[in-house]
Amino acid sequence: MMAREFRHALGDMLDAIAGIERSVAGKTLADYQSDWLLKHAVQRAIEIISEASRALPDDVKELRPEIPWPQVRTIGNVLRHEYHGLSDRIIWGVVVDELPALKIAVAALNEKFKTH
């Protein structure tokens, strides 16, 4: 496996997660619902995470089986094509409940495959 071919995707995922974390720090679901720019920024960052996850080889994803990789992969499509059906509460739930574990997993993979 050629690590450099997917390392950029791990970095992109970490950057997007960090951007979401900074943007929602101290915010509530109500803040999110009432802030058009915040909503769209978070949704775009989730799309980036989703798209970047597609660049990760299966054997790399298998190193972190606690992550629901198929859902990570498909949420970008859902946001792009069925955005009207996704409630703010669902997206907020992803941010609050799913991203912390994803961040830990992606950071660990990034550490494992980075060049020294």
Side-chain angles (χ1 to χ4, degrees):
M1 161 179 33
M2 301 297 288
R4 69 172 129 18
E5 293 172 9
F6 67 86
R7 273 203 321 264
H8 68 90
L10 295 170
D12 291 346
M13 292 174 80
L14 289 173
D15 288 346
I17 292 168
I20 291 171
E21 287 178 334
R22 283 193 307 272
S23 300
V24 304
K27 301 261 177 32
T28 65
L29 171 61
D31 296 328
Y32 174 80
Q33 289 174 313
S34 64
D35 188 333
W36 185 93
L37 191 59
L38 178 62
K39 278 206 290 197
H40 286 77
V42 167
Q43 289 175 13
R44 178 65 184 134
I46 291 172
E47 286 180 14
I48 289 168
I49 292 165
S50 173
E51 194 58 35
S53 77
R54 294 165 180 262
L56 303 181
D58 288 340
D59 57 339
V60 171
K61 291 184 283 200
E62 285 165 9
L63 296 172
R64 300 308 298 217
E66 76 279 15
I67 299 301
W69 294 109
Q71 288 92 313
V72 173
R73 180 187 176 100
T74 57
I75 194 168
N77 284 341
V78 172
L79 283 170
R80 280 188 289 276
H81 303 297
E82 301 172 37
Y83 55 90
H84 54 275
L86 270 190
S87 76
D88 292 339
R89 196 175 297 278
I90 291 171
I91 295 293
W92 189 252
V94 167
V95 168
V96 173
D97 300 328
E98 311 296 335
L99 279 189
L102 183 63
K103 178 185 179 182
I104 290 167
V106 173
L109 290 171
N110 193 52
E111 194 62 30
K112 179 176 178 64
F113 291 106
K114 76 179 185 185
T115 52
H116 298 285

